């Protein structure tokens, strides 16, 4: 009996909010051209020139990581000895020069790509999966569960990550790539969890969730169909940036000799070997692996910038 | 305001409590013969085992050990390294000033350059100036600290001989460590030795400050652009106020809010980020101490340093939060 009255009241008072404001313009565009949110995001991403450059460079790096070891000019395990003490400078035989043991720096840079990318990608995936699950539970459950989970996250945040990683690397098998991936992933989900939870809290109050609830959609379905997909945009952006930072982190850890076994050709190990070489003027040992890391991270960050504009157009940073 | 501070303090306590329990259990659950042997690892000698068992009370029940541990912490006793026997607290007081000095140097570089760059980009959004600033800041975020550090050391130290790349002071100068802040000690020693201290600080500060520089540039740009689009700024312009007045009084006052928060957060990150910079530039601070302690398996030192860093980090966060609430009344009353 009361229903018709309520709806008529809503029609009178609720009108202004139905009018498309400047922000709802995006939604209007959706209905007019009937593009999904993801299609719109893709369109925005393709308009982002820097992101496309980043994507092209990053694709090339992935290609190098896959086919590089096959086409590399030298065997990375070959230690022929350098002609000059302290390594040979770049030449036609050795494009990036050699280190003091005569190892070809170019070959090492190419061979290091797949380890850096694998550590970056898989550790980020682990952090992302745990973070989304924990964040979603905290955001959906609220109350005690939420409080407990967020205090655990607080503890992981209070300690400088690099310290924890170094300690963990000492404990859980120094020298193994899988151990490093697990350590990175298991220590970094807190950031994602916090973000997903914040998304849940703000999305829970939105009109479309309220509408879904009013129509009688179950809580489970609201969580998975309405909130989670909308929360994912910013999460993807942060995961991209996290992957870039994990690639640097792998290099940090190897650089400090806590990482992957020094016999493996990784970018961090190449830099670690080159400590002191710079001071002797043998810049090429450190320069090329360093540039490889920087180029990879820059290209990922450019992609992240584009994704940010594409997926999260209202909160531009 | 007082209530706000108390509430924030109450949040920090369970975090520190949880962390102390984890660190405590971490040392007790190490694999190895008895608990003392496990803590000492390769350093174990019968004498040290007896000593550690006594000081840590390892023969008592766990909860007694934990209460003793917390009791000692509250008295400022962070234990001693079992390698060189030095008190953690005493060594910390010698090394921490060096890290603080480096952090301040990096902050001055990052704030001094980042905020003007961000404002410049925001004044001409989407222009070529903005494009260049964006690319620079993306590069800044992406270059690993040690790559940048070694490159700077190579160019300005090895090739050009303009700046020192090693330590905080020329060891040949007769400077007494009084405060352990190299610059203050150098000023106290007179003879313009302070120039040497500042010269030593330049390259490490740039290396450490580049990532925050990029972060500050981006947040300043975003914040200024956002505030510039507010209605009250349009009103101010419509009233016919000068450009300068609108910028200083209407835009910057409000744009500062997010910028100060990020500066505060980055300060905490910088203290920890000093680990790599200190290693590259042989800076005798807490960061390089952490690395060597972990390398040497000096677990009592590691345990205490993690707890000290967490406390500092939480304190910095608290100051940031309180400062933010002070600057922005909207937070205080919500």
């Amino acid at each position: 009996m009361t229903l018709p009255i309520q709806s008529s009241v809503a029609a009178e008072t609720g009108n202004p909010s139905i009018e498309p404001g400047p922000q709802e313009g995006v939604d209007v565009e959706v209905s007019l051209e009937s593009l999904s949110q993801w299609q719109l995001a893709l369109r925005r991403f393709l308009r982002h020139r820097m992101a496309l450059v980043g994507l092209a460079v990053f694709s090339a790096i992935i290609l190098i990581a896959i086919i590089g070891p096959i086409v590399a000019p030298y065997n990375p395990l070959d230690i022929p000895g350098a002609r000059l003490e302290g390594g040979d400078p770049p030449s036609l035989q050795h494009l990036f020069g050699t280190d003091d043991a005569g190892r070809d720096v170019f070959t090492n840079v190419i061979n290091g790509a797949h380890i850096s990318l694998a550590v970056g990608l898989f550790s980020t995936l682990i952090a992302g999966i745990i973070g989304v699950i924990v964040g979603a539970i905290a955001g959906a459950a609220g109350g005690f569960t939420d409080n407990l989970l967020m205090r655990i996250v607080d503890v992981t945040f209070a300690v400088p990550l690099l310290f924890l990683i170094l300690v963990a690397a000492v404990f859980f098998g120094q020298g193994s790539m899988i151990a490093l991936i697990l350590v990175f992933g298991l220590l970094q989900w807190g950031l994602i969890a916090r973000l997903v939870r914040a998304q849940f809290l703000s999305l829970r109050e939105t009109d479309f969730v309220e509408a879904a609830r009013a129509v009688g959609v179950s809580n489970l379905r609201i969580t998975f169909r309405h909130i989670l997909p909308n929360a994912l945009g910013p999460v993807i952006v942060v995961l991209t940036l996290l992957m870039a930072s994990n690639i640097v982190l792998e290099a940090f850890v190897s650089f400090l000799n806590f990482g992957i076994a020094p016999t493996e050709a990784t970018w961090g190990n190449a830099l670690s070997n080159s400590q002191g070489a710079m001071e002797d003027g043998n810049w090429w040992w450190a320069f090329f692996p360093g540039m490889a890391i920087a180029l990879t991270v820059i290209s990922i960050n450019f992609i992240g910038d584009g994704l940010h504009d594409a997926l999260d157009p209202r909160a531009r940073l | 305001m007082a209530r706000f501070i108390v509430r924030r303090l109450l949040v920090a306590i369970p975090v520190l409590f949880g962390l102390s329990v984890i660190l405590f259990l971490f040392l007790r659950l190490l694999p190895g013969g008895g608990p003392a042997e496990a803590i000492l690892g390769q350093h174990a000698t019968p004498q040290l085992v007896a000593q550690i068992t006594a000081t840590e009370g390892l023969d008592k029940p766990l909860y007694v050990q934990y209460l003793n541990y917390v009791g000692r912490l509250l008295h400022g006793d962070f234990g001693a390294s079992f390698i060189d026997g030095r008190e953690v607290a005493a060594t910390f007081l010698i090394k921490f000033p060096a890290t603080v000095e480096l952090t301040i140097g990096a902050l001055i570089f990052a704030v001094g350059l980042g905020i003007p760059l961000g404002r410049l980009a925001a004044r001409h959004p989407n222009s070529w100036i903005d494009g260049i600033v964006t690319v620079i800041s993306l590069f800044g975020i992406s270059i690993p600290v040690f790559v940048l550090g070694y490159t700077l050391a190579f160019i300005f130290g090895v090739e050009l001989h303009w700046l020192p790349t090693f330590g905080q002071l020329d060891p040949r100068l007769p400077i007494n460590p009084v405060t352990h802040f190299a610059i203050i000690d150098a000023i106290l020693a007179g003879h313009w030795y302070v120039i040497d201290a500042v010269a030593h600080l330049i390259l490490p500060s740039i290396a450490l400050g580049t990532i925050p520089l990029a972060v500050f540039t981006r947040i300043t740009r975003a914040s200024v652009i956002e505030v510039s689009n507010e209605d009250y700024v349009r009103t101010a312009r419509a009233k016919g106020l000068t450009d300068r007045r609108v910028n200083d009084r209407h835009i910057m006052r409000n744009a500062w809010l997010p910028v100060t928060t990020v500066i505060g957060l980055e300060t905490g990150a910088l203290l920890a980020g000093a680990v790599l910079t200190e290693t590259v530039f042989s800076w005798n601070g807490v960061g390089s101490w952490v690395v060597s302690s972990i390398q040497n398996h000096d677990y009592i030192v590691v345990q205490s340093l993690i707890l000290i860093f967490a406390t500092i980090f939480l304190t910095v966060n608290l100051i940031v939060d309180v400062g933010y609430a002070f600057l922005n009344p909207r937070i205080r009353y919500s």
Side-chain angles (χ1 to χ4, degrees):
Chain A
M1 271 306 282
T2 52
L3 259 177
I5 298 166
Q6 273 184 348
S7 65
S8 73
V9 169
E12 277 168 37
T13 57
N15 243 348
S17 68
I18 295 167
E19 294 263 316
Q23 292 197 329
E24 273 90 346
V26 177
D27 302 337
V28 171
E29 200 183 331
V30 175
S31 60
L32 283 180
E33 304 189 18
S34 72
L35 287 172
S36 78
Q37 251 178 323
W38 296 102
Q39 283 169 316
L40 270 173
L42 180 67
R43 186 180 278 192
R44 278 192 295 262
F45 183 80
L46 291 177
R47 271 203 296 262
H48 202 288
R49 226 177 308 155
M50 308 257 286
L52 293 181
V53 172
L55 192 62
V57 173
F58 188 57
S59 309
I61 294 170
I62 293 177
L63 199 67
I64 289 173
I66 296 170
I67 64 162
I70 305 166
V71 299
Y74 296 91
N75 182 344
L77 299 174
D78 236 12
I79 308 177
R83 277 179 293 120
L84 300 171
E85 197 185 331
D88 303 339
S91 63
L92 280 179
Q93 283 87 39
H94 297 285
L95 282 177
F96 292 174
T98 73
D99 63 12
D100 59 347
R103 276 176 296 207
D104 183 48
V105 176
F106 184 62
T107 304
N108 273 352
V109 167
I110 286 179
N111 277 291
H114 75 275
I115 293 186
S116 285
L117 291 183
V119 171
L121 183 69
F122 291 113
S123 61
T124 307
L125 270 181
I126 293 174
I129 291 169
I130 301 177
V132 168
I133 292 173
V134 173
I137 292 174
F144 176 76
T145 317
D146 179 28
N147 245 318
L148 181 73
L149 290 173
M150 284 306 113
R151 290 298 84 76
I152 294 174
V153 171
D154 282 348
V155 172
T156 67
F157 263 84
V159 182
L161 183 68
L162 195 54
F163 294 9
L164 282 185
I165 286 178
L166 296 186
V167 173
V170 170
F171 272 92
F172 306 108
Q174 214 170 334
S176 133
M177 182 170 92
I178 293 179
L180 213 56
I181 289 173
L182 285 176
V183 167
F184 284 12
L186 294 179
L187 287 176
Q188 290 186 316
W189 53 267
L191 178 72
I192 310 297
R194 218 182 239 188
L195 179 69
V196 171
R197 172 183 174 269
Q199 287 285 315
F200 261 72
L201 293 188
S202 76
L203 286 170
R204 222 164 48 183
E205 309 298 324
T206 51
D207 292 342
F208 66 86
V209 170
E210 208 163 308
R213 201 166 283 142
V215 179
V217 180
S218 74
N219 267 334
L220 212 62
R221 198 177 155 78
I222 287 179
T223 303
F224 285 103
R225 282 289 302 167
H226 296 272
I227 298 187
L228 200 56
N230 282 294
L232 281 183
V235 173
I236 291 172
V237 175
V238 172
L239 283 178
T240 314
L241 302 179
L242 187 64
M243 178 166 144
S245 94
N246 278 345
I247 288 176
V248 177
L249 211 53
E250 184 274 318
F252 281 177
V253 175
S254 298
F255 172 74
L256 295 171
N257 293 320
F258 288 90
I260 290 170
T263 44
E264 290 268 350
T266 78
W267 295 341
N269 282 339
L271 283 167
S272 181
N273 289 336
S274 71
Q275 285 187 62
M278 276 273 193
E279 276 122 75
D280 302 333
N282 305 324
W283 53 272
W284 56 91
W285 291 27
F287 180 77
F288 293 109
M291 282 303 118
I293 298 173
L295 197 65
T296 310
V297 174
I298 289 168
S299 65
I300 297 176
N301 279 344
F302 276 8
I303 297 171
D305 213 38
L307 285 176
H308 190 275
D309 289 354
L311 293 173
D312 205 4
R314 281 178 207 170
R316 293 184 59 128
L317 185 75
Chain B
M1 196 68 190
R3 265 189 63 194
F4 179 82
I5 297 175
V6 170
R7 210 170 53 209
R8 295 288 302 135
L9 270 177
L10 288 179
V11 174
I13 289 168
V15 172
L16 280 178
F17 170 73
L19 187 63
S20 72
V21 172
I22 293 170
L23 287 171
F24 170 81
L25 288 177
F26 164 76
L27 268 197
R28 266 60 180 184
L29 298 177
L30 284 172
E37 284 86 354
I39 293 173
L40 290 165
Q42 76 238 38
H43 307 289
T45 60
Q47 195 192 351
L48 269 178
V49 167
Q51 189 190 325
I52 292 273
T53 309
T55 54
E56 300 282 316
L58 293 178
D59 44 0
K60 301 199 176 76
L62 264 186
Y63 74 94
V64 177
Q65 289 183 36
Y66 178 73
L67 290 178
N68 283 338
Y69 169 64
V70 172
R72 272 181 288 142
L73 286 180
L74 292 177
H75 286 97
D77 176 3
F78 289 93
S81 158
F82 48 69
I83 292 176
D84 56 16
R86 290 207 201 141
E87 293 266 335
V88 174
T91 314
F92 184 81
L93 289 181
I94 293 173
K95 293 188 182 258
F96 191 55
T99 302
V100 171
E101 212 163 25
L102 181 57
T103 305
I104 292 175
L107 270 182
I108 291 174
F109 170 72
V111 172
L113 202 59
I115 289 175
L117 273 181
R119 287 184 70 173
L120 183 71
R123 276 180 75 90
H124 313 279
N126 301 322
S127 68
W128 61 271
I129 298 178
D130 188 21
I132 290 174
V133 171
T134 306
V135 171
I136 291 176
S137 68
L138 275 173
F139 271 84
I141 289 180
S142 309
I143 292 186
V145 171
F146 50 89
V147 173
L148 181 64
Y150 278 126
T151 310
L152 289 172
F154 178 70
I155 296 174
F156 295 101
V158 179
E159 289 293 308
L160 298 172
H161 294 289
W162 284 0
L163 290 166
T165 60
F166 192 91
Q168 292 129 281
L169 285 169
D170 189 329
R172 286 165 299 184
L173 295 179
I175 295 174
N176 282 327
V178 184
T179 60
H180 296 284
F181 286 94
I183 289 186
I184 297 177
D185 287 344
I187 292 174
L188 291 177
H191 300 290
W192 294 105
Y193 290 157
V194 64
I195 294 174
D196 180 66
V198 172
H200 275 86
L201 190 56
I202 292 176
L203 291 181
S205 297
I206 294 177
L208 182 60
T210 296
I211 290 177
L213 163 72
V215 174
F216 297 162
T217 305
R218 302 193 81 187
I219 188 81
T220 307
R221 174 186 176 275
S223 178
V224 170
I225 289 179
E226 194 182 326
V227 176
S228 302
N229 292 329
E230 291 285 345
D231 289 342
Y232 56 79
V233 172
R234 205 171 307 144
T235 309
R237 285 198 202 285
K239 277 196 302 190
L241 295 185
T242 61
D243 215 32
R244 197 200 165 97
R245 203 173 159 80
V246 173
N247 268 326
D248 291 349
R249 294 199 44 119
H250 294 85
I251 297 181
M252 278 323 284
R253 276 205 186 176
N254 290 292
W256 269 113
L257 285 172
V259 177
T260 44
T261 316
V262 173
I263 291 176
L265 291 176
E266 281 293 320
T267 308
L270 274 178
L271 283 169
V275 170
L276 290 154
T277 319
E278 288 183 3
T279 308
V280 171
F281 290 97
S282 311
W283 198 262
N284 188 15
V286 181
S288 44
W289 186 27
V290 171
V291 174
S292 64
S293 302
I294 298 175
Q295 269 163 349
N296 295 331
H297 299 237
D298 197 346
Y299 292 126
I300 298 217
V301 176
V302 174
Q303 179 196 32
S304 294
L305 283 180
I306 289 181
L307 204 56
I308 293 173
F309 258 88
T311 312
I312 293 172
F313 191 73
L314 288 172
T315 312
V316 170
N317 275 358
L318 182 69
I319 294 172
V320 172
D321 279 357
V322 172
Y324 192 69
F326 182 75
L327 288 172
N328 187 357
R330 276 168 290 192
I331 298 281
R332 238 180 296 162
Y333 298 116
S334 69

